[in-house]
Amino acid sequence: MTITPELLLAHGDDGSLWPAGERDASIWPDLEVAYRDALAVRALREKRGEKPVGFKIGFTNRTIWDRYGVFAPIWGTVWNTTLARTDGAEGELSLARLSQPRLEPEVVFGIRATPPRSPTLEALFDCIEWLAPGCEVVQSHSEHWKFRAPETVADSGLHARLLVGRATPVRELADSGEALDKRLAECRVRLSHGEQRKDEGQGANVLDGPLHALLYFVEELQQLPGAPELKAGDVVTTGPWTDAWPVEAGQQWRADFDAPIPSLGVRFV
């Protein structure tokens, strides 16, 4: 069976699972083919009026690679229709029409300039305006979250929703890429559902730190034919510090980060 970009978009719109046996390895034999379809879906979403506002980087946390059978990071698009912002301690996200949603606590960067080709950490630091706590909701249209890496790419990088908390200018936190990288790598997060602690993680889990995750993503983006540029005003969420946890409407979760990253709560509706 041929899975077209139109069919991928339809699954994304209505939250339906791909029927068993509908997919096989020949549909997306590698990541190059999968990104081609993902970019085609991006074009369809733009055509109907949605605006890309940045990117998500997925599977940067090496501690969960074995669990999902995916052994390298991927990326997808964040949209004006999937992004929510709050300057307070908590915000709200809708789970309507999502497929098997799960929550990930992350650090989000705000971009102030397009990075140069093959950037260093210091060059990348110069391109970042702010950082903030993030709660990303990921989803999968593959039953029981069983998939191959190219399927996750074609499935919009698993991105569903993103709540971004209070932003802090990065130059208030560090005066260099090396200093910011070290500070973020050492930070920890505690993820709770209500009063119950569910998981803990550390910034170093995501490719040795969120700044390294961003560096990896920028290099991958620059090498992919037809991929859009990272530009001023974009947000980039850099990957989960813990595992991804199933969530339901009516629940309240909280990601408590070490200072200087603010904590962030999220209510699901």
Side-chain angles (χ1 to χ4, degrees):
M1 176 178 179
T2 299
I3 297 184
T4 64
E6 289 78 10
L7 184 56
L8 286 167
L9 183 60
H11 277 287
D13 285 342
D14 63 25
S16 59
L17 294 174
W18 287 321
E22 187 173 282
R23 297 161 294 119
D24 60 51
S26 66
I27 297 174
W28 298 294
D30 54 39
L31 290 176
E32 182 177 351
V33 172
Y35 278 118
R36 181 198 64 198
D37 280 359
L39 291 173
V41 172
R42 177 184 166 111
L44 289 173
R45 293 183 73 155
E46 288 187 274
K47 185 177 180 179
R48 71 182 186 184
E50 291 183 82
K51 300 183 186 305
V53 293
F55 301 89
K56 67 80 54 81
I57 318 172
F59 291 111
T60 54
N61 188 336
R62 297 188 185 101
T63 70
I64 63 174
W65 282 359
D66 286 337
R67 200 167 305 161
Y68 292 95
V70 175
F71 300 96
I74 62 167
W75 61 268
T77 302
V78 175
W79 299 91
N80 66 316
T81 53
T82 64
L83 175 66
R85 303 284 296 270
T86 179
D87 288 328
E90 64 178 33
E92 185 176 277
L93 289 176
S94 171
L95 300 180
R97 296 184 301 280
L98 299 189
S99 177
Q100 306 175 103
R102 298 187 178 191
L103 172 65
E104 300 176 341
E106 314 196 4
V107 156
V108 182
F109 289 122
I111 304 302
R112 71 171 184 172
T114 298
R117 298 294 300 183
S118 304
T120 62
L121 282 183
E122 297 305 325
L124 202 55
F125 176 75
D126 289 338
C127 298
I128 301 171
E129 186 71 31
W130 51 262
L131 66 77
C135 288
E136 186 184 18
V137 175
V138 290
Q139 64 176 336
S140 175
H141 297 93
S142 300
E143 192 172 12
H144 306 306
W145 276 75
K146 300 298 183 183
F147 42 61
R148 298 167 51 253
E151 292 173 41
T152 71
V153 169
D155 198 13
S156 297
L158 305 183
H159 174 70
R161 302 282 187 271
L162 175 63
L163 176 66
V164 178
R166 179 167 55 84
T168 302
V170 294
R171 282 148 200 85
E172 292 183 6
L173 306 177
D175 58 6
S176 69
E178 180 181 4
L180 181 66
D181 179 52
K182 184 176 186 294
R183 192 165 191 184
L184 292 181
E186 292 174 347
C187 280
R188 298 192 63 82
V189 68
R190 292 151 294 281
L191 183 65
S192 300
H193 170 209
E195 299 301 317
Q196 183 181 12
R197 179 74 54 81
K198 302 296 290 188
D199 207 345
E200 295 188 25
Q202 186 172 354
N205 288 350
V206 292
L207 299 186
D208 301 323
L211 197 59
H212 274 92
L214 181 63
L215 179 64
Y216 175 94
F217 164 68
V218 168
E219 292 173 339
E220 289 293 301
L221 197 67
Q222 291 176 345
Q223 294 171 16
L224 182 67
E229 267 192 332
L230 186 62
K231 62 183 187 304
D234 281 345
V235 301
V236 182
T237 187
T238 53
W241 291 23
T242 68
D243 198 358
W245 286 83
V247 293
E248 298 178 1
Q251 292 181 341
Q252 186 148 350
W253 289 69
R254 185 169 189 84
D256 290 304
F257 291 88
D258 287 348
I261 304 171
S263 295
L264 180 61
V266 56
R267 300 183 307 276
F268 293 114
V269 297

